[in-house]
Amino acid sequence: MQSAALRLLEGSISPTVEFQEHCQRLMPEGFTLDFPPVVVPIGTGEIFDEAEIERIDLRLLMHPETSKKFLVAGSIEVDDDGEIPEEFFADPPVQPHLTCGTSRSIGNNVDVQTRLDTTTLRLNGLDGSGVAIAIVDTGIYAPHLEKALGFAFRKDGANSWTPSTVATPAFWHRLGHGTMSAYDAVLVAPQATLLDYAALLGRVDHSAQVTLAPMIVAYSKLLYSWKTSANPSIRAPALVISNSWGIYHPSLDFPANHPGRFIDNPNHPFRGLVWILARIARADAVFAAGNCGVNCPAPPCLRRTAGAINGAAAYPEVLTVGGCDTNYGLVGYSSRGPAIAGMPNPQKPDLVAYTHFLGSTAAGRNRPDTGTSASCPVAAGSIAAIRTRLPPLNASPAVLNNALRQSAHPFPPGGWNPNYGHGVIRPVAAARLLGLIP
């Protein structure tokens, strides 16, 4: 297991016959190993108490050579009335958070920058310089992104990741959702360095939807390249991870009450990776709330709008972002809270950011950047801007997220509400609260 996981994290996918035979001996009868193989170290597979965080040696816990447990991706056939073995965890289909919004754009990129006051951010040295933003999405097409931005953005192809089933290299993927997400992040943090993590292209074959497994690999690779390796290759002092994807409906997951279920399970191994990145490695993870809002739910929601903020978007360690337009109106497709029952913090979304504006034109001429897929990277860019002068060692993601919630413009006043969360994001106000701006 150790050698297979290390090969995966260092870029090789070649499984040995011995490894495949070893997996078959360990797994229940009928288990079929995915190819290319997914073998990811998960440490002990547990969430630690807060008091233990300072004593954890991250390299000892999560390095492939010393990890106590590993996730291995595969499949097993179960009869319609059969039970899924309890040692299995769900690997449900996940999708980009596309939107049903067909209305014309409300405002444009300049309006977004004006609302966020990026001029004040820039004048105070908060432009994302030195900060890495990992766009975990469908991949980025750099030529269009540079044309839309009007300048050559900073990118790190060496530390980006493309699934082995995809032929195109980093920053040369098909124009679409990932390019939009990248544009919306750079709009706020123009000097940040992008990492292109095209995990949403990581299907086992081209007839199947992408599942959670490539996301697990992506997060494990980010952790290894930034903190776990003896010689981390991502040299940035701060890492922000933008995630405009999720699971739309419970029918895509394991049955209710199965211990391996994803959408309402705080003990799923993916949360363990997110927890370690946020609480120990101190990376900022931002997730889209989803597009199952009561006024205009996206078709894959199957009209289910209650408990629509689920899975990773419901984790307390992440900043969960809904969407509003540049006139502060909540967009009809933005998923409302509270989060799905069973998660530690029902008060999701945390806040909302701007969407449905004319920006990247990645979806076509005069087509807006839409969905919480756009508001998520806008918030990620805001965090990257603040991180320019706020190293994670000085303020953890929890501290920064709390400052963003406290400084958000409330709609209406009076604390958290299920529509806007704590309000509309205000990065300048957050930076002032943190002592970065007079």
Side-chain angles (χ1 to χ4, degrees):
M1 290 290 184
Q2 287 88 347
S3 60
L6 187 60
R7 282 198 302 271
L8 178 65
L9 295 180
E10 292 185 342
S12 172
I13 64 164
S14 301
T16 63
V17 173
E18 291 79 11
F19 166 71
Q20 296 182 70
E21 291 177 347
H22 180 62
C23 278
Q24 293 301 143
R25 288 195 298 270
L26 293 176
M27 298 299 168
E29 184 178 354
F31 177 80
T32 302
L33 185 70
D34 277 357
F35 189 89
V38 172
V39 187
V40 174
I42 57 171
T44 63
E46 301 171 347
I47 304 295
F48 293 90
D49 292 333
E50 293 294 313
E52 298 179 89
I53 290 176
E54 298 300 327
R55 298 196 297 269
I56 294 173
D57 184 333
L58 190 57
R59 291 178 182 172
L60 185 63
L61 175 70
M62 295 299 295
H63 195 281
E65 294 178 350
T66 50
S67 178
K68 301 296 184 184
K69 294 182 179 180
F70 297 83
L71 281 180
V72 178
S75 60
I76 188 170
E77 289 191 11
V78 177
D79 294 336
D80 290 341
D81 56 350
E83 293 187 2
I84 301 171
E86 290 194 358
E87 62 267 33
F88 279 72
F89 290 94
D91 181 23
V94 296
Q95 297 175 253
H97 274 312
L98 304 173
T99 174
C100 64
T102 56
S103 59
R104 296 177 63 181
S105 59
I106 301 176
N108 58 28
N109 58 324
V110 175
D111 295 317
V112 172
Q113 291 176 318
T114 300
R115 292 296 194 195
L116 296 172
D117 197 359
T118 57
T119 298
T120 296
L121 291 174
R122 186 181 68 252
L123 291 175
N124 285 274
L126 302 177
D127 58 6
S129 297
V131 179
I133 305 178
I135 305 293
V136 181
D137 213 289
T138 61
I140 299 167
Y141 183 56
H144 179 91
L145 181 55
E146 291 188 344
K147 181 179 180 181
L149 289 168
F151 61 88
F153 68 97
R154 298 186 179 188
K155 54 184 179 292
D156 183 354
N159 283 304
S160 296
W161 176 64
T162 300
S164 59
T165 53
V166 178
T168 48
F171 297 103
W172 286 94
H173 300 296
R174 180 178 295 180
L175 176 62
H177 193 268
T179 305
M180 179 198 75
S181 296
Y183 175 93
D184 295 337
V186 177
L187 194 64
V188 193
Q191 296 303 313
T193 300
L194 294 187
L195 308 179
D196 184 6
Y197 267 64
L200 283 170
L201 299 181
R203 298 173 292 184
V204 174
D205 62 69
H206 290 284
S207 65
Q209 288 181 296
V210 66
T211 65
L212 188 63
M215 309 304 164
I216 291 173
V217 175
Y219 268 67
S220 186
K221 286 184 71 68
L222 281 168
L223 181 61
Y224 181 79
S225 300
W226 194 48
K227 292 292 183 181
T228 308
S229 170
N231 295 296
S233 54
I234 297 177
R235 304 294 184 184
L239 172 64
V240 183
I241 311 171
S242 181
N243 303 268
S244 294
W245 56 270
I247 179 171
Y248 275 99
H249 196 271
S251 62
L252 301 170
D253 204 350
F254 278 3
N257 300 318
H258 188 284
R261 192 162 141 115
F262 172 64
I263 60 171
D264 55 3
N265 180 11
N267 298 312
H268 191 281
F270 186 67
R271 190 201 167 194
L273 286 171
V274 173
W275 186 91
I276 288 169
L277 267 159
R279 299 295 292 119
I280 304 178
R282 296 196 168 199
D284 297 282
V286 187
F287 274 81
N291 298 329
C292 293
V294 295
N295 295 334
C296 179
C301 305
L302 302 180
R303 299 184 181 181
R304 181 182 182 274
T305 59
I309 299 177
N310 58 48
Y315 295 163
E317 298 80 23
V318 312
L319 188 76
T320 306
V321 183
C324 70
D325 61 39
T326 55
N327 293 325
Y328 305 120
L330 192 74
V331 291
Y333 46 72
S334 182
S335 292
R336 271 61 159 179
I340 193 169
M343 290 303 207
N345 178 17
Q347 290 193 351
K348 295 286 185 172
D350 291 289
L351 45 75
V352 300
Y354 302 107
T355 185
H356 220 88
F357 58 91
L358 188 61
S360 70
T361 65
R365 186 180 179 183
N366 297 325
R367 295 283 297 276
D369 291 0
T370 62
T372 57
S373 283
S375 58
C376 172
V378 166
S382 299
I383 290 175
I386 293 171
R387 282 293 184 202
T388 313
R389 292 177 44 215
L390 188 72
L393 289 177
N394 293 358
S396 69
V399 170
L400 177 50
N401 288 348
N402 190 50
L404 288 165
R405 288 190 290 263
Q406 288 184 19
S407 62
H409 186 59
F411 278 89
W416 180 88
N417 69 76
N419 297 324
Y420 286 84
H422 290 273
V424 182
I425 192 168
R426 294 193 298 174
V428 170
R432 283 201 174 99
L433 187 61
L434 293 162
L436 303 177
I437 296 177

